Amino acid sequence: MTKVAGVLFFLAGTTLVIGILLAEILYPARYSISQNMISTLAASPPPHSVIHQPSATVFDHAMSISGMLLMSASFVLFRLYRRSIFIISTFLLGMGTLGVGLFPAFHAHVHPLVALTAFLFGGIAAITSFNMSRFPLSILSVFLGSVSLFFLFLGTILPHVVVPVFGAGGTERMVLYPLVLWLVGFGGYLMNSFTVLRLPKRERGNNPAKK
């Protein structure tokens, strides 16, 4: 079961990267990874939103597919690691990512909420995966999750500090890409034939991880 979850995590991370890169390549107008938000690939912010194709279709589908993969991974791991903050955070990360695909930026009231959900719980999922992985991945996961949450905090609470340096799009990428790296790395860890999850003692007696 861990291999199945690993494949889902790995595919979610690679789908995000390839989807964003492909949308940037196909974007027909001028686009800056520093100044333009990632969601601009699907639609520019309201009130005068502009949708550029085929970038919008590529981006929306990549977000939706990644979100469904992550939600599926959370269900798979729930069999192994119940009542876990990690499982809940992973599910909410997937739900938020799916929401980004379903509700592009012109949904002014919904899009910021689902994007914040994905970023916030993505960072929490990366950090709490510390309890499920072993050194050195456990430390690297905490580092990547902390970097993501740090830039999320700065971009949300203190934008005047970080945006002039990184730009709005650059700041958002400093939130997202550490999470993508974690997804791929953690997925690879779970796919390893010798991986054994660090389960609570009460769950070790009935662990289907190797099945």
Side-chain angles (χ1 to χ4, degrees), residues 20 31 36-42 59 119 169 172-173 176-177:
I20 292 174
Y31 185 86
N36 292 112
M37 304 291 283
I38 299 174
S39 55
T40 303
L41 295 167
F59 180 84
F119 288 146
E172 191 176 37
R173 283 166 171 79
L176 174 63
Y177 284 122

Side-chain angles (χ1 to χ4, degrees), residues 149-183:
L149 291 179
F150 175 72
F151 278 93
L152 177 63
F153 172 80
L154 289 181
T156 304
I157 308 299
L158 301 171
H160 60 281
V161 174
V162 66
V163 172
V165 179
F166 293 91
T171 301
E172 191 176 37
R173 283 166 171 79
M174 290 299 296
V175 178
L176 174 63
Y177 284 122
L179 299 180
V180 172
L181 292 172
W182 168 72
L183 287 173

